[in-house]
Amino acid sequence: GAVVSQHPSWVICKSGTSVKIECRSLDFQATTMFWYRQFPKQSLMLMATSNEGSKATYEQGVEKDKFLINHASLTLSTLTVTSAHPEDSSFYICSARGPSGRDTGELFFGEGSRLTVL
Amino acid sequence: AQTVTQSQPEMSVQEAETVTLSCTYDTSESDYYLFWYKQPPSRQMILVIRQEAYKQQNATENRFSVNFQKAAKSFSLKISDSQLGDAAMYFCAYNAGNNRKLIWGLGTSLAVNP
């Protein structure tokens, strides 16, 4: 149980275009999902906390107009990188608290999405 | 503020031998959770082991075990009988529960030599 699926796993886009990444909890309801960004050989950097039915909470320094997050249902959160630029190229990872995660903080992760902006 | 420190950016171990990855943390909370996550080359994060701070017994999962020293705020991961598939980045993480976010260490890259 507690499977999180992320799509696409790999995307290339042209500079100036927008890209949407989906994160789905397949066998549980996730009221809270987290979006991370990871640079090569570095740790995870939390970008925002996505709450179902309400606005996402962004970490300091993360542009909310650039990284649009929508959590419209209990099983789906989306991250849209708007007007992408080469510096947005990175590995983006979503995660969700599992059924027991509300108390423990344990997270279940999607496969990650590699974004390359040309 | 809570912090998690992994002082070993890189480690290596011979196949079938034992290796210990270190993690220390700083918190003023008395009740919290600690995790070790593994990130293999595929980049998918996988939970290795979890420890509840209120439990004195060290958590174990097959070849993986922890040495949890609450007073010293230390949470090391021991991998026994290392296998080639254990090669990965290992991240230590802390959470105080109550819907708070995870605090991550910088990771330790583990190489397993055949």
Side-chain angles (χ1 to χ4, degrees):
Chain A
V3 178
V4 177
S5 179
Q6 192 171 336
H7 178 81
S9 56
W10 186 63
V11 58
I12 299 175
C13 70
K14 293 182 179 180
S15 187
T17 61
S18 295
V19 173
K20 180 185 285 188
I21 301 170
E22 294 185 346
C23 180
R24 295 181 184 273
S25 56
L26 298 186
D27 53 359
F28 68 100
Q29 294 182 333
T31 56
T32 303
M33 290 185 174
F34 301 89
W35 286 96
Y36 290 91
R37 183 173 181 176
Q38 187 180 31
F39 293 101
K41 297 186 179 181
Q42 292 190 24
S43 189
L44 282 72
M45 182 188 77
L46 180 64
M47 298 175 66
T49 301
S50 170
N51 300 296
E52 187 270 334
S54 64
K55 291 183 179 180
T57 302
Y58 290 82
E59 295 299 302
Q60 191 172 11
V62 177
E63 299 176 60
K64 58 183 67 176
D65 293 332
K66 177 154 197 65
F67 299 101
L68 299 179
I69 291 172
N70 184 278
H71 194 158
S73 78
L74 287 170
T75 59
L76 174 65
S77 176
T78 60
L79 167 67
T80 301
V81 183
T82 62
S83 187
H85 290 284
E87 57 265 33
D88 298 325
S89 299
S90 192
F91 191 66
Y92 294 89
I93 310 174
C94 77
S95 64
R97 285 205 183 94
S100 64
R102 183 174 182 85
D103 296 322
T104 68
E106 180 178 341
L107 296 182
F108 296 87
F109 287 84
E111 303 92 332
S113 299
R114 164 73 60 198
L115 171 63
T116 301
V117 184
L118 302 177
Chain B
Q2 293 108 354
T3 58
V4 175
T5 302
Q6 292 179 250
S7 60
Q8 306 152 314
E10 297 180 345
M11 292 279 285
S12 65
V13 63
Q14 289 297 127
E15 194 176 5
E17 297 197 343
T18 296
V19 64
T20 298
L21 309 183
S22 66
C23 173
T24 59
Y25 58 94
D26 189 25
T27 183
S28 58
E29 304 279 349
S30 59
D31 199 14
Y32 49 87
Y33 302 86
L34 296 162
F35 307 89
W36 277 99
Y37 279 90
K38 170 185 177 181
Q39 187 178 37
S42 67
R43 306 297 295 273
Q44 170 119 45
M45 296 286 283
I46 303 166
L47 178 68
V48 175
I49 203 163
R50 181 182 79 192
Q51 175 79 44
E52 291 90 339
Y54 64 86
K55 290 186 177 179
Q56 293 184 341
Q57 187 172 8
N58 289 326
T60 55
E61 286 289 340
N62 301 314
R63 297 183 295 107
F64 298 87
S65 62
V66 298
N67 184 2
F68 173 49
Q69 301 290 326
K70 191 172 183 179
K73 295 180 182 174
S74 172
F75 182 60
S76 61
L77 174 70
K78 185 171 82 171
I79 306 174
S80 304
D81 186 25
S82 297
Q83 301 176 0
L84 295 178
D86 295 333
M89 281 288 290
Y90 286 82
F91 292 97
C92 180
Y94 161 97
N95 184 270
N98 296 324
N99 271 332
R100 298 181 194 176
K101 54 193 178 188
L102 279 181
I103 309 297
W104 295 88
L106 294 181
T108 297
S109 177
L110 177 65
V112 180
N113 303 314

